[in-house]
Amino acid sequence: MARSLSDYKRITVKIGSALLVENGRLKREWLESLADDLQALSEAGKEVLVVSSGSIALGRGVLGLPAGPLKLEQAQAAASVGQIALAQAYSEILGARGLTAGQILLTLGDTEERRRYLNARETISTLLKMGAVPIINENDSVATSEIRYGDNDRLGARVATMASADLLVLLSDVDGLYTAAPQTDPKAIFLPEVPQVTQEIEAMAGAPGSAFSSGGMKTKIDAAKIAQSAGTTMIIASGKTLNPLDAIENGARATWFPAPSSPSRARKTWISGHLKPHGTIQLDAGALKAVKAGKSLLPAGVTKVDGTFTRGDAVRIVDADGHDVGRGLVAYDYGEASLIIGRNSKEIEAIVGYPGRAEMIHTDDLVLSTSDLDNS
């Protein structure tokens, strides 16, 4: 398997609070060294995203809050102040290296509820197309214990899969996965690669509340399961050193969790086999030929729509005779879709009242049936 960051195209980097903030103050030298790494990846043609903790820890220092557990309202206040300070630091430090930072604050619902998920995915995609670096954090200023992730490992995995990143790097205070807690067990063995997260691997991470899992290994293994299932390779590596990404590139110890397929293939498998269709879209002969050639489905090639689907739902795609052609995620609600069928994409804004997507179903969200692939 590939063991170099340069072998991947879209890289998500997750940063823990302890790496970024110390005693309420930003570890600026460390962040600048990370920015150097991000700049090098960007100049090599890679797209990079950052999932960053640190807003509460930084806001605590700005507000002068005492050490120890914070009340919910104190944590939310600290987050609101820290988010501004953290965003400013990223903007200044990345800007000095010719990179533009874009802030995205997410809650659990933004990655679980379909429409909000699609909106967040589109924002990330647009920022990357424009050459910006999305800086993503949980929106701790409004999140409560009932509606939050509580850890940025799993959030990092959700963001990586949402963005179809092919690599997720978890920078941590540990340099990988061991068969036991290396701090307490001298016989603990380092694992350089984990092809699949098995029950044995999960047991190595420790049960919730154990000494080992208190360092976050349990959430990292959970993140690996999310990432691998979506076609994203994951790394657990130490972030204690300066230039941590460059260190990985130069062979620093890390545990790799290789994905069995690409994000695109995993996503299409999910669309074709795990989503219940909520409607049907019928194509004319020209549109059928276009989608078989790998192009997106445009409204002009649609002759009929049926169902109760909303934006982001899976729909059946059929030919003029009603034969099943494939599955796809539709970009419009049924009511809007029914208004724009057969129309040129340039007319969409005038018809629906806003500048919607040019495609009824984007090629990334479209999967042909096996028989159609064989006959194309």
Side-chain angles (χ1 to χ4, degrees):
M1 63 164 286
R3 286 288 180 88
S4 170
L5 302 188
S6 60
D7 292 317
Y8 298 87
K9 297 178 181 178
R10 183 172 289 181
I11 303 170
T12 300
V13 181
K14 175 265 171 183
I15 304 165
S17 295
L19 299 176
L20 197 59
V21 181
E22 187 172 33
N23 298 324
R25 298 177 64 86
L26 181 72
K27 296 165 70 172
R28 195 174 185 92
E29 182 185 10
W30 184 89
L31 184 56
E32 287 179 343
S33 79
L34 177 74
D36 288 339
D37 290 350
L38 297 176
Q39 179 187 15
L41 289 172
S42 179
E43 290 176 348
K46 312 303 176 184
E47 295 176 318
V48 291
L49 307 83
V50 176
V51 176
S52 177
S53 302
S55 62
I56 294 177
L58 196 57
R60 180 200 288 265
V62 174
L63 292 173
L65 294 171
L70 297 175
K71 296 180 180 178
L72 174 61
E73 60 270 22
Q74 290 177 315
Q76 291 176 325
S80 69
V81 172
Q83 282 163 0
I84 292 176
L86 195 59
Q88 182 179 8
Y90 273 111
S91 181
E92 289 178 357
I93 292 172
L94 290 177
R97 290 157 178 80
L99 299 174
T100 300
Q103 185 185 52
I104 302 176
L105 299 176
L106 298 175
T107 62
L108 178 64
D110 294 318
T111 62
E112 298 292 337
E113 197 276 312
R114 188 74 192 142
R115 185 177 290 266
R116 288 156 66 186
Y117 171 96
L118 290 170
N119 288 336
R121 175 181 166 88
E122 191 63 27
T123 300
I124 292 171
S125 176
T126 302
L127 283 170
L128 292 173
K129 288 177 183 176
M130 292 179 172
V133 179
I135 308 296
I136 301 158
N137 193 5
E138 184 158 19
N139 194 352
D140 292 309
S141 62
V142 299
T144 64
S145 58
E146 291 80 14
I147 60 169
R148 71 191 302 266
Y149 272 94
D151 72 88
N152 269 10
D153 292 323
R154 284 176 294 190
L155 177 61
R158 289 294 186 196
V159 167
T161 60
M162 176 191 291
S164 294
D166 49 359
L167 182 65
L168 167 63
V169 182
L170 299 186
L171 294 179
S172 177
D173 57 355
V174 294
D175 58 6
L177 177 65
Y178 291 76
T179 55
Q183 306 94 322
T184 58
D185 188 346
K187 295 182 180 179
I189 300 171
F190 171 74
L191 301 177
E193 182 175 321
V194 179
Q196 182 181 6
V197 176
T198 61
Q199 290 183 344
E200 290 77 14
I201 293 295
E202 291 189 81
M204 291 175 192
S210 71
F212 197 14
S213 68
S214 66
M217 191 54 69
K218 174 70 168 62
T219 62
K220 290 173 176 56
I221 296 303
D222 289 342
K225 291 167 64 177
I226 295 169
Q228 285 182 313
S229 66
T232 301
T233 292
M234 194 185 89
I235 309 171
I236 299 175
S238 174
K240 289 183 176 180
T241 181
L242 296 179
N243 302 103
L245 300 180
D246 184 63
I248 296 170
E249 189 72 353
N250 285 287
R253 173 175 281 192
T255 298
W256 291 71
F257 296 78
S261 65
S262 68
S264 175
R265 183 173 297 176
R267 178 173 172 79
K268 295 205 173 194
T269 299
W270 170 68
I271 292 171
S272 64
H274 299 281
L275 295 179
K276 178 183 177 182
H278 288 270
T280 302
I281 292 182
Q282 191 170 56
L283 317 187
D284 63 22
L288 180 60
K289 183 178 179 180
V291 298
K292 285 187 176 182
K295 297 181 179 179
S296 297
L297 174 61
L298 303 180
V302 177
T303 58
K304 184 180 180 181
V305 294
D306 287 309
T308 56
F309 56 83
T310 59
R311 179 185 173 224
D313 280 344
V315 293
R316 291 177 62 233
I317 303 169
V318 300
D319 62 16
D321 297 321
H323 298 139
D324 200 16
V325 173
R327 298 283 188 276
L329 303 183
V330 66
Y332 290 93
D333 296 342
Y334 168 78
E336 295 171 337
S338 63
L339 293 175
I340 62 176
I341 59 174
R343 307 298 288 268
N344 188 290
S345 296
K346 295 179 181 179
E347 302 177 82
I348 291 176
E349 183 173 1
I351 295 171
V352 302
Y354 66 93
R357 294 184 67 165
E359 312 89 2
M360 184 79 79
I361 302 177
H362 193 276
T363 184
D364 292 345
D365 299 329
L366 193 156
V367 186
L368 296 180
S369 63
T370 303
S371 59
D372 281 286
L373 289 173
D374 292 341
N375 296 327
S376 61

